[in-house]
Amino acid sequence: MAKVLHIDSSVRSTGSLTRQLGGEFIAKLQAADPATTVVTRDLANSPVPHLTEQMLGAYFTPAEQRNAEQAFTIKTSDTLVDELLAADTIVIGAPMYNFSVTSGLKAWIDHVARAGRTFKYGANGPEGLVTGKKVYVIVATGGAYSSGPAAAYDHTTTYLRSVLGFLGMTDVTFIVAEGVAMGEEAVNAALAKSRAQIEAIAA
């Protein structure tokens, strides 16, 4: 039985291509294996809090030394880390906003990037602890950033590949619908390309 963690980060409840393609992808995974279980985190409709000084202090305080306030503060982070570690497959909807990820997705990353839980420092430097996962990231961009001079502005795929790899998730596939602000024809072409990739993956 596969365990899937589905992260949605688009602030749009309707008209979001990452939500649409992510939903289609999850449906295909469940159709391929009806025993698949899915945990969904909607970071727009149920946002996680951004980091605070109190929260950061709780992260670096050993569990047995945390006061009641710190123990309460860290609950959300612990839950998010537990969900990540329990999943076999992670599907992330990550639209590009201003050349990078949404603030909601960045907040989620700040909660799950935990020294001692999802990475550690050893004699050879940092080591990711979230291993053995397959990650699919569905990205939608208004412009085209896959090649040419505009590629330097893509801080969505580059950042996610780096931070996920830092945590140990190196098996990452990006499904990118690009140029979706360039008219209906461009949207249809982007959707067709992304759906073909999803079909191949889920087959």
Side-chain angles (χ1 to χ4, degrees):
M1 178 178 70
K3 297 179 180 178
V4 178
L5 174 61
H6 181 200
I7 305 292
D8 260 326
S9 68
S10 173
V11 301
R12 301 172 68 185
S13 57
T14 59
S16 166
L17 296 185
T18 58
R19 286 183 182 274
Q20 181 179 339
L21 291 169
E24 293 174 10
F25 190 22
I26 294 295
K28 289 187 179 297
L29 293 178
Q30 290 178 309
D33 180 5
T36 296
T37 61
V38 180
V39 172
T40 299
R41 275 280 167 186
D42 190 327
L43 300 175
N45 291 327
S46 299
V48 298
H50 290 276
L51 278 180
T52 63
E53 182 177 10
Q54 179 189 50
M55 201 179 299
L56 201 61
Y59 287 176
F60 291 100
T61 301
E64 66 278 6
Q65 296 178 24
R66 291 178 195 139
N67 59 35
E69 191 174 24
Q70 287 176 320
F72 177 79
T73 297
I74 208 168
K75 278 185 177 181
T76 296
S77 176
D78 282 341
T79 297
L80 297 176
V81 170
D82 289 344
E83 289 175 351
L84 178 62
L85 294 176
D88 306 304
T89 301
I90 297 98
V91 178
I92 302 174
M96 177 189 283
Y97 287 6
N98 299 315
F99 309 122
S100 189
V101 299
T102 66
S103 62
L105 183 54
K106 178 59 167 64
W108 178 82
I109 290 168
D110 288 340
H111 278 284
V112 301
R114 290 270 304 279
R117 293 213 62 193
T118 56
F119 72 94
K120 67 179 181 180
Y121 291 104
N124 298 317
E127 176 186 346
L129 302 177
V130 190
T131 58
K133 315 291 184 185
K134 177 59 191 173
V135 184
Y136 299 96
V137 182
I138 300 172
V139 178
T141 67
Y145 300 92
S146 59
S147 61
Y153 291 94
D154 175 14
H155 303 295
T156 300
T157 62
T158 53
Y159 169 67
L160 288 174
R161 190 180 296 280
S162 296
V163 73
L164 293 171
F166 180 85
L167 299 181
M169 292 171 277
T170 56
D171 189 358
V172 181
T173 297
F174 287 91
I175 301 166
V176 181
E178 66 175 351
V180 299
M182 298 179 177
E184 185 177 353
E185 186 176 340
V187 172
N188 291 336
L191 283 173
K193 182 179 179 181
S194 296
R195 284 172 172 150
Q197 191 176 355
I198 287 170
E199 285 282 357
I201 293 168

